[in-house]
C-alpha cells in the first residue's frame, strides 16, 4: 500500500501524514477547508526540528523529501481517488465519524481499506456506516508518533483478517510497532492501562497521601520508568483529564476535575506544551 489519504489534519492527523510521508508513502491530506490546509506547511516546519532532535537518521534532505510527498485537497472525492488506505483523524464525535465514513464510502475505490484513529469509539460503532464493513478497522496512534510509535490495530467481528494483516503491515512500513488487538476493547491496550493508573495517582494526590513530586519519584525510581503519572498528565494536557472527569460518577475524580480547572486550566497552566502544568518547563 503506497497511497495514503488522511482525513483531518489536526494534532494527530498531521503527525500521521508527516510520519507516513517521511517513511516514503504518498500522502493526501484532506480537511474541511482550504484555509485549514493552508496551515500545514507551518506545521511541517514545527515537526522538522523534533524529527532532527529525536531520530538519529533524520536529515534536512529527508524531511524536505517527506514534505514533497504530501499533497492536499478539500475535495473528498479527489482526496481518496487513488487511496489504498484512508486513515480518519476527525474530531472524536460519533456522529461526525459516521457522517464522514458515509461520505467516503460514496467516493472511494473498491480496493481502499478504511481505518479510524478514534481513541474511545469502537470500530463496530462506525463500520455499518461504510459500504465495506469487512475492510473497516481502527489504527490507533499515540501522540508524538515519531517517538511513541505504537499503532494499535483493532478490528470488529466482521473485519477481514487479511485487511487486519495489511493494516498491521502498513503500520510497520511507516515506522510503527503494530500492536495486534484480538477483540474490541474500549481504550485498546494503552488507555486500558493508562487511565486507571492516572486515576490512582489522582486519588493519592486528592487524599494528600504524598506530594505530586514524591508520587512521581516513587514510580520512576522503583520501576525504572522515565516518567511518573503527573509528568504524563502534563504531556497529555489538562483539558483531557478535565473533560474525562468533570461529570464523573466518582466524587473523588469529579473533585480532581474541579481542582484541575481552578488551579491549572483557569490560570493557563495547560500542561507541558503550555510551559506549565503540574510542573514548570523551560
Ligand atoms: P483535532 O481537533 O486536533 O483535529 C481534528 C481535525 O479534523 C481538524 O483539522 C478539523 O478541521 C478536522 N475536521 C473536522 N471535521 C471534519 C470532517 N467532517 N472531515 C474531515 N476533517 C474534519 O483532533 P485530534 O486530537 O487530532 O484527534 C483526532 C482523532 O484522533 C480523534 O478521533 C482522537 O480520538 C484521535 N486521537 C487523538 C490523540 C491525541 O493525543 N490528540 C491520540 C490518539 C488518537
Amino acid at each position: 500500500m503506497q497511497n495514503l489519504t488522511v482525513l483531518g489534519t489536526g494534532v494527530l492527523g498531521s503527525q500521521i501524514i508527516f510520519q507516513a510521508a517521511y517513511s516514503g508513502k504518498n500522502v493526501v491530506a484532506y480537511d474541511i477547508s482550504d484555509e485549514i490546509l493552508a496551515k500545514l506547511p507551518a506545521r511541517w516546519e514545527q515537526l522538522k526540528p523534533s524529527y532532527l532532535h529525536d531520530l538519529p537518521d533524520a536529515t534536512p534532505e529527508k524531511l524536505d523529501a517527506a514534505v514533497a510527498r504530501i499533497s492536499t485537497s478539500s475535495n473528498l472525492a479527489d482526496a481518496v481517488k487513488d487511496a489504498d488506505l484512508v486513515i480518519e483523524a476527525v474530531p472524536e464525535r460519533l456522529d461526525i465519524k459516521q457522517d464522514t465514513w458515509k461520505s467516503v464510502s460514496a467516493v472511494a475505490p473498491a480496493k481502499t481499506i478504511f481505518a479510524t484513529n478514534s481513541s474511545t469509539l469502537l470500530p463496530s460503532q462506525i463500520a455499518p456506516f461504510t459500504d465495506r464493513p469487512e475492510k473497516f478497522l481502527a489504527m490507533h496512534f499515540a501522540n508524538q508518533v515519531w517517538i511513541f510509535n505504537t499503532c494499535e490495530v483493532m478490528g470488529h467481528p466482521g473485519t477481514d483478517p487479511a485487511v487486519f494483516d495489511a493494516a498491521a503491515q502498513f503500520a510497520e512500513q511507516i515506522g510503527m510497532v503494530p500492536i495486534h488487538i484480538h477483540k474490541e476493547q474500549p481504550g485498546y491496550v494503552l488507555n486500558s492501562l493508562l487511565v486507571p493508573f492516572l486515576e490512582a495517582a489522582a486519588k493519592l494526590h486528592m487524599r494528600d497521601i504524598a506530594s505530586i513530586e514524591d508520587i512521581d519519584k516513587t514510580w520512576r525510581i522503583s520501576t525504572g520508568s522515565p516518567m511518573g503519572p503527573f509528568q504524563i498528565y502534563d504531556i497529555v494536557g489538562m483539558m483531557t483529564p478535565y473533560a474525562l472527569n468533570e461529570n464523573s460518577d466518582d466524587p473523588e475524580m469529579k473533585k480532581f476535575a474541579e481542582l484541575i480547572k481552578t488551579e491549572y486550566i483557569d490560570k493557563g497552566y495547560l500542561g507541558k506544551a503550555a510551559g506549565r502544568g503540574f510542573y514548570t518547563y523551560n
Side-chain angles (χ1 to χ4, degrees):
M1 296 198 289
Q2 181 58 24
N3 296 331
L4 171 69
T5 297
V6 177
L7 312 177
T9 61
V11 175
L12 248 286
S14 60
Q15 293 180 20
I16 298 166
I17 293 163
F18 197 73
Q19 177 65 27
Y22 181 72
S23 310
K25 302 294 181 187
N26 304 320
V27 190
V28 181
Y30 167 84
D31 214 305
I32 45 178
S33 76
D34 288 329
E35 289 70 43
I36 295 174
L37 291 170
K39 294 184 186 147
L40 284 178
R43 177 75 175 132
W44 310 146
E45 291 313 309
Q46 198 189 23
L47 283 171
K48 281 177 180 179
S50 300
Y51 273 68
L52 290 171
H53 179 267
D54 296 331
L55 304 183
D57 65 343
T59 62
E61 294 72 31
K62 278 190 186 177
L63 294 165
D64 288 343
V67 173
R69 282 190 281 271
I70 301 169
S71 57
T72 61
S73 177
S74 59
N75 177 308
L76 189 59
D78 178 50
V80 302
K81 68 179 191 305
D82 296 320
D84 297 311
L85 172 67
V86 174
I87 297 177
E88 163 269 304
V90 307
E92 188 71 349
R93 264 188 35 201
L94 184 57
D95 57 337
I96 297 182
K97 304 246 187 221
Q98 290 172 339
D99 285 351
T100 300
W101 282 113
K102 223 190 272 180
S103 309
V104 178
S105 295
V107 289
K111 65 169 182 178
T112 312
I113 291 176
F114 292 172
T116 179
N117 179 45
S118 172
S119 297
T120 60
L121 303 167
L122 295 173
S124 57
Q125 292 175 282
I126 305 170
F129 291 78
T130 72
D131 64 339
R132 62 196 80 182
E134 74 289 352
K135 285 202 171 89
F136 188 84
L137 78 179
M139 292 176 75
H140 181 240
F141 295 81
N143 199 353
Q144 303 188 37
V145 295
W146 64 97
I147 36 170
F148 301 147
N149 58 334
T150 52
C151 177
E152 297 179 280
V153 183
M154 182 168 85
H156 61 93
T159 304
D160 180 346
V163 167
F164 187 100
D165 290 345
Q169 224 172 57
F170 181 87
E172 212 163 350
Q173 288 166 5
I174 64 166
M176 299 295 110
V177 176
I179 307 295
H180 297 238
I181 308 287
H182 297 164
K183 53 184 82 161
E184 285 197 319
Q185 162 72 19
Y188 307 81
V189 169
L190 176 61
N191 286 331
S192 299
L193 293 169
L194 189 59
V195 171
F197 171 67
L198 292 179
E199 265 190 35
K203 288 184 178 182
L204 289 171
H205 175 50
M206 295 310 288
R207 294 174 198 167
D208 194 25
I209 303 297
S211 69
I212 282 172
E213 290 78 6
D214 276 357
I215 294 170
D216 277 357
K217 228 183 269 174
T218 308
W219 187 254
R220 282 199 311 266
I221 296 172
S222 52
T223 68
S225 300
M227 281 186 284
F230 290 96
Q231 292 171 283
I232 297 175
Y233 271 123
D234 275 356
I235 287 181
V236 173
M238 295 293 173
M239 296 309 291
T240 304
Y242 176 67
L244 283 178
N245 293 304
E246 65 172 324
N247 296 315
S248 174
D249 295 334
D250 180 336
E252 259 182 316
M253 291 312 293
K254 202 166 169 174
K255 257 187 137 173
F256 180 63
E258 282 160 20
L259 173 103
I260 287 181
K261 173 95 172 66
T262 53
E263 293 302 313
Y264 297 93
I265 295 174
D266 289 351
K267 295 177 180 169
Y269 306 155
L270 296 178
K272 192 169 181 181
R276 185 160 171 180
F278 288 111
Y279 296 93
T280 302
Y281 301 86
N282 291 327

